[in-house]
Amino acid sequence: MASPNLVHGRQSLVPFPASTTLFPRPPSHPLSNYGFATSSVNAGFFTRSLALFSPGILVCRNSYSRGARGSQSRVRSASIQRVTEELTEDESKDSLISGDSIRQRFLDFYASRGHKIIPSASLVPDDPTVLLTIAGMLPFKPIFLGKIPRQVPRATTAQRCIRTNDVENVGRTARHHTFFEMLGNFSFGDYFKKEAILWSWELSTKEFGLPSERLWISVFEDDDEAFEIWHNEVGVPVEHIKRMGEDDNFWMSGATGPCGPCSEIYYDFHPERGTADVDLGDDTRFIEFYNLVFMEYNKKDDGTLEPLKQKNIDTGLGLERMARILQKVPNNYETDLIYPILEKASAMANIPYPLADEQTKLKLKVIGDHIRAIVYLISDGVLPSNIGRGYVVRRLIRRVVRAGRSLGIEGVEGAFSPIIAEKVIELSTHIDSDVKIKAPRILEELKKEELNFVQTLERGETLLEKMLWDALSNAEKSGTVPCLSGKEAFLLYDTFGFPVELTTEIAEEQGVTVDMNGFDIEMENQRRLSRAAHNVVKLAVEDGANVTDDISETEFVGYDTLSTQAVVESLMVNGSPVIQVSEGNDVEVLLNRTPFYAESGGQIGDHGFLYVTGSEKQQTAVVEIKDVQKSLGDIFVHKGTIKEGILEVGREVQAAVDAKLRQRAKVHHTATHLLQSALKKLISQEISQAGSLVAFDRLRFDFNYGHALTDTQLEEIERLINDWIEASTFLKTKVMPLKDAKEAGAIAMFGEKYGEQVRVVEVPGVSMELCGGTHVSNTSEIRVFKIISEQGIASGVRRIEAVAGEAFVEYINVRESQMKNLCSMLKVKAEEVSTRVEKLLEELRMSRNEVADLRTKAAVYKALMIANKAFEVGTSQKIRVLVESLDDVDADSLKFAAEHLIATLQDPAAVILGSCPDEGKVSLVAAFTPAVVDMGIQAGKFIGPIAKLCGGGGGGKPNFAQAGGRKPENLPSALEKAREDIVSILSEKAS
């Protein structure tokens, strides 16, 4: 339902003691679950595990050995030694630091420096310019733009993020992910460059104990200030600071808008390589783990930079990258954040991860990475579909299924992904506590989608078989090498989940090549579109922002009154500010206070009037308000039309809400709360809201559920809600801390933003929700509730529409009027309408059957009349052929005519018929006897090209096929082409 006008936040991260182990304690032999003994073969895995499990043991590892081309092979020593006295307590702590501990220590570090810890926002952003939350700064974008005032001067977060623009690199590099956590500290016009740099260094070297000699710094080539801070105040040697160009170290949100130089901290895995000719982009040596953006300019349309009024700091530290560094593992995937998932997948594949080849590890990494993204996306309400965010989830699931099936992973009842997802859910406690609550729904959606995709894969196999047959057939006719086009290979990959390697392998077995250049072009096109859609956070200092520079937030008094005196603070016409507006013009009005509810949380804005009175209290102007929206934070924009007089900035007005329409909205909003409670009580506690509309004439409630509700269930829901209405329960409304509200059991709406203080609306004993909407004071005001429809609107999402109160009376009156009209037309009583309609339908069915029989008989008669037009083809074997038009015969009758002719002409025979049953329509049919089919001629393949000549297509079985088209004028030439082709083919086969 509607949210309070406060900043959103999820539950705070729960402080916890740093764990001394990364994983649960293993059995005596870490590989015993796989059937291996601890030996020299698995010593690398044994020593790695021992270092993680045993705080008192230090594992010695050699450096990575590298060839002349810089390739890397892992060499791990199996020797184990006791920790010496030289190992400090801090070093021991950091060698075992868990990902959860890194996250908490980061937040605590900045909290102790005056930063407010803000819980992670949803992966589904409010920002319409991006599909998903792709950066830690995205939730703060309105503050950076000055659209809403800052709630705090400085903040720190552990933000869940999703990026899919480089999905093909997942598992191939040490650092690419689709799901990752970005730890950040932010300043909103408070501290700037110096503090950000000093704290980032202190965090890295003191809190996390990274050796300063292993850290390198990049700065923007012209940012002398940052260079001087790093060198003179921090003490970083000049040779460890690299000046880099705009492409690398100048952050821009888009073509225009806030921007500024940035500085990055890199960790050096191989300091022994020296400082000469260093390339910080060398992934084999360096990893960038901390990025500091100094947002100090606004880029204008002409490309010039102007200083921002408020300079901001936006930083991001990759949790997975820091975990890799501190846990001393070769890539992000082998940290405790992801490795337990890889272990689960490898166990199901019966392939110990340490002993797997690189290709197998790649597939396990894909599974481990993607299943994390999938779990958190579904938890945040994103369900698999073919559009938008849903397609991201669907594509990731398909990549997981492909990878798992290629490794031979089998699950329960045909699905393995839910089993691996259970490990992600187990690890989710300190990332998002809601995941465990939503686990049943997550696992159900995963299972359903995997099973559906397996069926899609099977259909893809059938399509590939047809593509290969066509390629071979076309090559035989043209005398060329059979080849599968890049578009066909990409269709199999993108739609049916076929890896191009598998397509190539199967094609080669059939002697068919694959156009890999064409495939790469299609793949690059998709990547380009993906980058454009998913990986840009658009910020712009909007021209209209100046209009509200001096306007404070609107005071909303509509909970307590429907009428109040207010002052006109600004007027806009067509988006431009004006001083006055005259009669007949549309206008947008900004008031200092208002009783009008602005659209939010599903509830539409109030309607009503603004009245201007003169000195003698005579009405001088009237503005009819038809919509109210929020803009730039909590500024209410009243949209309406000047009905009388002139409205001016600074004038005092009487703002009055339409009381009857407000009551309708209140009734429907409270009824929506009751509906959600009834669904949870009667259908499933896992049901959660996926959207809503609270209007004057109806309510609409979207919810996550995988099955249609039965009529009996809908009746039970109605009955329960009406019982609650009849109970005449008084509602309770109060404002309280978000934490207290959640502990009390209040339901939060998915996608809404909540601040520290929230408004809670409670129907005692029935429902309790965080809601900023308007509600009745007693359930009896609703009067009655009626469901008018229930339907599916997307995969796993259902929609109920209902009416209550006065809208119910209107609904019944309309239906009563319609019933009276029916009774008059049918000349029966209301209770007899159903019987009469059933009788009429039966009469109609009988009449249609009679017409169809007559048409069939007419078509057969026409067929008999043209049977004598059949001619013979062939020398060694005579084949009877008939190609004719049957004028306006419909498709079904044409089918019967062809079947009758085939039986009349007897085997071997070929019949091809066409007709124009309606304007702009063509029907075609091809029927071949068994002897013709045995010659290798298939009706389905023959009729398709003929139908294309008529602007259509079609196909069917080898012996019988139907097709259609949209160009009747081409039918004669198409049939002539059919005659030529069939004669040519049969003459060759029967000669």
Side-chain angles (χ1 to χ4, degrees):
M1 306 354 150
S3 69
N5 308 318
L6 301 171
V7 176
H8 169 66
R10 304 201 50 167
Q11 287 186 353
S12 300
L13 297 173
V14 181
F16 59 95
S19 173
T20 56
T21 61
L22 297 177
F23 311 115
R25 188 168 296 279
S28 57
H29 297 299
L31 294 181
S32 61
N33 289 336
Y34 301 114
F36 290 88
T38 53
S39 65
S40 59
V41 174
N42 53 60
F45 180 70
F46 176 73
T47 55
R48 178 186 188 279
S49 299
L50 202 53
L52 301 179
F53 296 133
S54 307
I57 296 178
L58 174 69
V59 178
C60 297
R61 294 197 184 108
N62 295 332
S63 301
Y64 297 145
S65 63
R66 300 176 185 277
R69 296 175 60 85
S71 61
Q72 120 181 349
S73 58
R74 209 175 306 163
V75 180
R76 293 180 178 175
S77 171
S79 62
I80 304 174
Q81 65 182 35
R82 288 285 174 185
V83 178
T84 65
E85 296 294 333
E86 297 175 355
L87 183 63
T88 67
E89 182 179 346
D90 285 343
E91 287 173 333
S92 176
K93 174 182 68 176
D94 283 346
S95 67
L96 299 168
I97 187 172
S98 70
D100 285 340
S101 180
I102 294 170
R103 183 191 305 108
Q104 194 62 46
R105 286 168 66 177
F106 179 96
L107 296 172
D108 290 344
F109 177 89
Y110 281 103
S112 68
R113 287 154 181 79
H115 293 66
K116 174 70 175 178
I117 297 178
I118 305 294
S120 173
S122 168
L123 289 172
V124 180
D126 275 342
D127 191 334
T129 68
V130 288
L131 279 179
L132 297 163
T133 300
I134 60 174
M137 58 74 64
L138 189 61
F140 301 113
K141 173 179 169 181
I143 301 176
F144 288 137
L145 288 176
K147 285 188 172 183
I148 64 174
R150 67 184 190 184
Q151 302 294 313
V152 292
R154 44 180 87 169
T156 183
T157 66
Q159 177 62 48
R160 304 188 304 279
C161 299
I162 292 281
R163 290 184 189 172
T164 59
N165 57 306
D166 291 323
V167 68
E168 298 298 331
N169 286 329
V170 169
R172 299 182 186 277
T173 71
R175 59 182 175 82
H176 277 95
H177 299 291
T178 55
F179 175 86
F180 59 96
E181 288 186 80
M182 189 61 72
L183 310 180
N185 56 287
F186 305 89
S187 167
F188 311 113
D190 186 20
Y191 64 84
F192 197 52
K193 204 170 291 186
K194 179 179 178 180
E195 293 88 345
I197 290 174
L198 294 176
W199 284 336
S200 67
W201 185 260
E202 182 183 356
L203 176 81
S204 301
T205 59
K206 301 298 183 184
E207 178 65 27
F208 290 131
L210 299 183
S212 59
E213 64 272 14
R214 282 182 176 258
L215 301 184
W216 288 68
I217 307 299
S218 70
V219 297
F220 180 54
E221 55 192 358
D222 295 333
D223 192 354
D224 295 331
E225 180 186 3
F227 189 98
E228 293 300 322
I229 295 172
W230 281 116
H231 178 54
N232 294 332
E233 302 200 36
V234 175
V236 178
V238 171
E239 59 270 20
H240 271 233
I241 306 176
K242 301 282 288 185
R243 291 183 182 267
M244 301 178 75
E246 184 174 310
D247 289 343
D248 296 303
N249 278 68
F250 195 89
W251 182 86
M252 292 183 289
S253 60
T256 61
C259 58
C262 60
S263 183
E264 298 159 329
I265 308 179
Y266 291 78
Y267 184 81
D268 185 357
F269 291 107
H270 293 282
E272 73 277 3
R273 295 185 186 178
T275 59
D277 299 323
V278 165
D279 176 13
L280 295 181
D282 180 1
D283 282 350
T284 66
R285 177 174 178 179
F286 296 101
I287 186 170
E288 175 219 329
F289 66 89
Y290 209 166
N291 184 23
L292 316 177
V293 176
F294 311 125
M295 203 179 297
E296 54 184 317
Y297 301 112
N298 175 47
K299 188 174 184 181
K300 302 172 70 175
D301 289 334
D302 60 4
T304 60
L305 301 178
E306 63 179 4
L308 286 173
K309 296 178 182 178
Q310 174 178 291
K311 295 182 178 181
N312 305 306
I313 289 293
D314 159 26
T315 79
L317 182 148
L319 174 60
E320 291 80 5
R321 298 185 183 198
M322 181 59 83
R324 172 192 173 189
I325 295 168
L326 294 178
Q327 294 174 15
K328 300 179 175 63
V329 292
N331 55 69
N332 297 0
Y333 297 92
E334 295 186 38
T335 67
D336 71 317
L337 296 165
I338 306 174
Y339 194 74
I341 309 169
L342 304 188
E343 285 188 308
K344 182 70 174 180
S346 61
M348 293 183 70
N350 293 315
I351 304 172
Y353 180 84
L355 304 182
D357 58 41
E358 290 307 311
Q359 191 62 26
T360 299
K361 285 183 177 179
L362 168 62
K363 293 174 181 177
L364 290 170
K365 290 173 182 176
V366 167
I367 293 172
D369 170 87
H370 289 6
I371 206 74
R372 295 176 84 209
I374 292 162
V375 165
Y376 288 100
L377 280 167
I378 295 177
S379 176
D380 276 348
V382 183
L383 301 179
S385 71
N386 287 328
I387 58 173
R389 303 179 184 102
Y391 180 68
V392 173
V393 177
R394 174 158 288 169
R395 188 179 178 208
L396 293 177
I397 292 175
R398 290 183 170 188
R399 285 174 58 85
V400 167
V401 174
R402 288 204 312 263
R405 283 168 64 91
S406 69
L407 294 175
I409 297 179
E410 297 180 357
V412 177
E413 297 179 355
F416 69 85
S417 58
I419 300 174
I420 300 175
E422 288 176 349
K423 177 58 67 174
V424 180
I425 294 169
E426 178 185 322
L427 297 170
S428 69
T429 302
H430 303 295
I431 302 174
D432 180 5
S433 58
D434 286 348
V435 170
K436 290 186 177 179
I437 298 172
K438 299 174 182 177
R441 174 177 155 222
I442 294 170
L443 300 178
E444 180 184 355
E445 287 294 336
L446 257 177
K447 178 180 179 182
K448 180 172 65 175
E449 184 67 15
E450 180 178 344
L451 294 178
N452 287 342
F453 180 50
V454 169
Q455 294 178 350
T456 302
L457 276 175
E458 292 171 353
R459 291 196 298 272
E461 291 170 357
T462 302
L463 178 61
L464 175 57
E465 184 180 343
K466 180 180 182 302
M467 288 178 174
L468 294 176
W469 193 96
D470 288 343
L472 290 166
S473 177
N474 293 334
E476 183 181 353
K477 292 178 182 178
S478 61
T480 58
V481 176
C483 180
L484 204 64
S485 72
K487 285 189 175 181
E488 289 175 315
F490 185 76
L491 173 68
L492 289 166
Y493 166 83
D494 194 48
T495 302
F496 295 94
F498 266 70
V500 70
E501 298 84 5
L502 179 59
T503 299
T504 303
E505 181 180 337
I506 296 173
E508 288 176 349
E509 291 174 356
Q510 302 295 321
V512 179
T513 61
V514 177
D515 177 12
M516 289 304 301
N517 288 333
F519 175 85
D520 291 340
I521 290 172
E522 295 295 324
M523 178 66 77
E524 185 56 36
N525 288 339
Q526 187 198 61
R527 285 173 179 159
R528 186 172 63 252
L529 291 173
S530 177
R531 290 189 187 103
H534 299 296
N535 203 36
V536 178
V537 180
K538 296 181 181 178
L539 296 181
V541 178
E542 301 177 11
D543 294 337
N546 294 329
V547 174
T548 58
D549 280 349
D550 300 319
I551 296 177
S552 59
E553 293 183 354
T554 309
E555 179 189 358
F556 177 61
V557 296
Y559 290 136
D560 304 314
T561 182
L562 296 182
S563 180
T564 189
Q565 291 295 121
V567 175
V568 177
E569 301 222 326
S570 179
L571 296 172
M572 288 182 287
V573 174
N574 297 324
S576 299
V578 295
I579 301 300
Q580 66 177 24
V581 186
S582 58
E583 184 175 323
N585 289 293
D586 293 334
V587 64
E588 295 180 350
V589 185
L590 277 59
L591 304 174
N592 66 330
R593 63 201 309 258
T594 183
F596 286 83
Y597 183 85
E599 180 175 325
S600 62
Q603 182 176 333
I604 66 173
D606 280 328
H607 291 190
F609 291 90
L610 303 180
Y611 300 104
V612 181
T613 56
S615 57
E616 298 181 2
K617 296 187 178 180
Q618 290 185 346
Q619 189 171 291
T620 61
V622 177
V623 184
E624 183 178 13
I625 301 299
K626 286 294 188 181
D627 187 22
V628 185
Q629 298 286 332
K630 285 185 184 178
S631 178
L632 305 173
D634 280 342
I635 296 176
F636 287 38
V637 180
H638 305 73
K639 299 182 179 184
T641 304
I642 308 292
K643 292 296 184 180
E644 298 178 20
I646 296 174
L647 184 65
E648 299 174 329
V649 172
R651 289 301 299 268
E652 188 174 88
V653 299
Q654 181 72 25
V657 173
D658 186 318
K660 290 184 177 179
L661 293 182
R662 166 66 78 83
Q663 181 64 19
R664 284 175 172 237
K666 289 164 62 176
V667 163
H668 281 145
H669 208 147
T670 305
T672 304
H673 283 218
L674 299 182
L675 174 58
Q676 177 162 231
S677 292
L679 286 167
K680 286 179 172 290
K681 182 179 180 67
L682 297 176
I683 307 301
S684 171
Q685 282 294 326
E686 298 303 320
I687 281 177
S688 61
Q689 183 175 346
S692 70
L693 172 67
V694 176
F696 304 135
D697 61 339
R698 72 192 187 283
L699 68 87
R700 187 178 71 212
F701 185 75
D702 300 340
F703 57 99
N704 296 304
Y705 192 62
H707 311 287
L709 301 186
T710 65
D711 290 342
T712 300
Q713 288 175 321
L714 293 174
E715 290 171 4
E716 291 175 349
I717 291 168
E718 279 186 356
R719 188 179 302 114
L720 178 58
I721 292 173
N722 283 309
D723 286 345
W724 285 336
I725 293 170
E726 189 178 357
S728 300
T729 304
F730 282 98
L731 275 69
K732 295 181 179 179
T733 303
K734 51 189 172 183
V735 176
M736 63 174 67
L738 176 62
K739 181 181 178 184
D740 293 349
K742 287 191 172 184
E743 288 177 354
I747 297 174
M749 177 183 168
F750 163 72
E752 284 296 329
K753 293 201 251 183
Y754 300 104
E756 292 183 3
Q757 296 291 315
V758 294
R759 184 170 181 263
V760 178
V761 177
E762 180 183 7
V763 182
V766 176
S767 76
M768 180 187 294
E769 298 193 27
L770 308 184
C771 182
T774 62
H775 289 270
V776 298
S777 58
N778 188 291
T779 58
S780 62
E781 294 177 41
I782 301 174
R783 295 159 64 188
V784 66
F785 174 90
K786 175 68 180 176
I787 294 174
I788 58 177
S789 70
E790 190 275 343
Q791 62 182 333
I793 59 170
S795 176
V797 181
R798 309 295 301 177
R799 169 173 291 173
I800 286 179
E801 291 198 356
V803 290
E806 193 63 29
F808 169 81
V809 175
E810 284 185 357
Y811 174 82
I812 293 300
N813 287 339
V814 170
R815 266 112 195 110
E816 184 179 5
S817 176
Q818 292 170 342
M819 179 60 73
K820 285 180 179 178
N821 289 337
L822 278 174
C823 292
S824 176
M825 292 168 58
L826 299 175
K827 302 188 185 305
V828 294
K829 297 178 181 178
E831 59 269 22
E832 298 171 348
V833 167
S834 296
T835 303
R836 180 59 177 149
V837 170
E838 288 176 1
K839 185 177 180 180
L840 288 173
L841 288 174
E842 181 60 30
E843 292 174 359
L844 180 60
R845 280 192 292 268
M846 292 175 64
S847 297
R848 284 177 174 173
N849 290 338
E850 290 175 2
V851 171
D853 289 341
L854 289 173
R855 285 178 175 172
T856 300
K857 289 177 181 179
V860 171
Y861 176 76
K862 289 182 179 181
L864 291 173
M865 296 297 291
I866 64 171
N868 58 0
K869 294 185 179 182
F871 56 92
E872 293 184 343
V873 176
T875 56
S876 61
Q877 184 180 15
K878 299 296 183 180
I879 305 167
R880 285 166 291 282
V881 176
L882 181 62
V883 182
E884 290 293 334
S885 171
L886 288 186
D887 302 327
D888 59 353
V889 171
D890 65 274
D892 288 340
S893 298
L894 198 67
K895 173 178 176 290
F896 283 117
E899 291 172 343
H900 183 80
L901 285 167
I902 279 292
T904 301
L905 296 176
Q906 299 183 342
D907 200 8
V911 173
I912 300 159
L913 302 177
S915 68
C916 301
D918 291 300
E919 184 177 352
K921 288 187 177 181
V922 174
S923 292
L924 291 164
V925 64
F928 299 162
T929 60
V932 173
V933 175
D934 289 343
M935 294 179 185
I937 309 170
Q938 297 188 16
K941 294 184 180 296
F942 181 85
I943 201 66
I946 305 302
K948 286 183 179 179
L949 299 176
C950 296
K957 299 178 181 178
N959 66 315
F960 195 93
Q962 287 181 282
R966 300 180 302 277
K967 298 179 179 179
E969 65 274 14
N970 292 354
L971 180 59
S973 59
L975 289 176
E976 185 59 35
K977 173 66 173 172
R979 187 191 309 274
E980 293 173 1
D981 288 353
I982 196 66
V983 168
S984 174
I985 296 170
L986 291 176
S987 296
E988 180 183 347
K989 299 286 186 180
S991 60

